[in-house]
Amino acid sequence: ADSVVKIAVSGAAGNIGYALIPLLASGYVFGDRPVELRLLEIPHALKALAGIRMELIDCAFPCLTDVICTTDPREAFENVDVIVLVGGFPRKQGMERKDLIEANTKIFTTMGRAINDVASTNVKVLVVANPANTNCLVALTEAASIPSKNFCALTYLDHQRAKAQVAIQLGVSTNRIKNVTIWGNHSNSQFPDALTDGYYLQDDGEKVPLASLLAHDLDWATADFVTTVQERGKHVIEVRGASSALSAAQASADCIKTWLVTGTQDGETVSMAVYNDEGYYGVQKGLVFSFPCECKDGDWYVKTGLSLSEFAMEKLVITEKELMEEREAAKDLLSK
Ligand code: NAX
């Protein structure tokens, strides 16, 4: 029989947690492998978490072997295969970004140290909580004994948002859009890119470049499209009255599945924010930056050799600058 996949989820009683946990427990991500869940929360959410545990029992998922609820990151992370860090300090009205970074750097320092001390060196960590790229950087820096390749931050939701907008514009179904890229930060500074060579529409056996299909729509592809994707999260909050949770959970599950279970299809890439140890595309080393990635056998590889326009390079510099500022703000705290 297959070995049990042990998965820890922090912030498990929150909005995204509530939508993500069933995707992990039902076999959507890991097929019929048995799953053990470690659900991590802060004390005030422990009662709600106990309620989620009751609901999980009532789902009678055939693959779910155990659900452990805890407030101790060490208990949650010990010997697990996958960690999804969804729990963080939310941005409150009037809060400045530097306050958000401060509150979350503390949390992610704790997470990183616990991962360092008790997790297996093969553990894979997906950071969802904002500011996602910098939280991921803090965690992997603190978890010095774990390879940085084992971490990523979620930009898959932005990737799917970008594909969906291109599909709507072209009047085709989203699953026929192959490859777009979210470059940089999971924030408004990100660069959603639909025009680089190698992005295409799958049309029966034929691959039609998006750049040629969008040639008459360049104003849209370089302006409206970019801001729509950048501001999609904000727009969902305005309309729904709460931040994206269903789509964020689905993207988290799909990111884990692509990274760790299925890999990417031949010729296809997904967007993942990963530790830039190589200086890919001229981006400063040492940032967690979203790139087009291929996944195989549980590892990601940044797809290199795409030929970026001058316009794209300018956009990359903007989001790189923001990530450098975030890193500086977090570093100041780390050194204290
Ligand atoms: P919620 O506030 O509903 O849930 C967060 C949960 O985390 C709460 O239950 C809270 O008790 C818990 N928590 C806080 N500090 C913790 C700690 N130190 N240890 C363990 N648990 C802790 O937020 P939700 O809507 O679920 O969003 C979660 C995070 O995802 C936020 O940071 C949000 O900004 C971020 N998002 C990231 C996205 C992405 O694409 N990367 C998109 C959606 C979302 O905005």
Side-chain angles (χ1 to χ4, degrees), residues 10-18 40-42 44-45 71 73 85-91 104 107 111 127-132 135 153-158 161 186 243-245 248 251:
S10 81
N15 275 306
I16 296 174
Y18 194 70
L40 176 67
E41 262 294 350
I42 49 179
H44 97 110
T71 56
L85 297 174
V86 186
F89 196 91
R91 184 170 207 152
N104 284 289
I107 293 173
M111 296 295 146
V127 178
V128 177
N130 278 316
N135 287 342
L154 186 74
T155 50
Y156 202 101
L157 174 56
D158 309 288
R161 287 167 171 166
H186 168 70
S243 72
S244 311

Side-chain angles (χ1 to χ4, degrees), residues 6-148:
K6 299 189 182 113
I7 311 167
V9 180
S10 81
N15 275 306
I16 296 174
Y18 194 70
L20 172 63
I21 287 165
L23 296 172
L24 299 171
S26 66
Y28 175 78
V29 176
F30 290 98
D32 53 13
R33 276 185 73 183
V35 166
E36 175 184 313
L37 289 176
R38 311 263 186 95
L39 306 181
L40 176 67
E41 262 294 350
I42 49 179
H44 97 110
L46 212 48
K47 184 156 172 280
L49 194 60
I52 293 175
R53 184 171 185 278
M54 288 166 66
E55 288 202 81
L56 281 170
I57 290 169
D58 298 346
C59 287
F61 289 120
C63 296
L64 188 59
T65 61
D66 206 358
V67 182
I68 295 155
C69 298
T70 179
T71 56
D72 177 3
R74 286 163 196 267
E75 187 186 354
F77 301 157
E78 184 160 23
N79 221 8
V80 293
D81 303 288
V82 181
I83 300 175
V84 195
L85 297 174
V86 186
F89 196 91
R91 184 170 207 152
K92 304 222 167 107
Q93 233 179 5
M95 199 172 165
E96 292 200 22
R97 203 165 72 193
K98 97 175 174 340
D99 302 326
L100 186 74
I101 292 197
E102 179 168 344
N104 284 289
T105 296
K106 279 188 195 137
I107 293 173
F108 281 80
T109 300
T110 307
M111 296 295 146
R113 287 188 188 156
I115 292 169
N116 191 62
D117 294 348
V118 303
S120 128
T121 50
N122 298 321
V123 71
K124 300 291 166 86
V125 184
L126 171 67
V127 178
V128 177
N130 278 316
N133 299 49
T134 298
N135 287 342
C136 182
L137 181 63
V138 170
L140 70 84
T141 305
E142 293 296 321
S145 67
I146 313 283
S148 54

Side-chain angles (χ1 to χ4, degrees), residues 5 21 27 40 42 50-51 70 115 123 137-138 150 153 175 181 190 203 205-206 230 270 301 312 328:
V5 198
I21 287 165
L40 176 67
I42 49 179
T70 179
I115 292 169
V123 71
L137 181 63
V138 170
N150 296 16
N175 64 351
T181 303
Q190 67 180 230
D203 195 10
E206 218 190 321
Q230 286 171 335
V270 293
Y301 302 89
E328 275 317 300

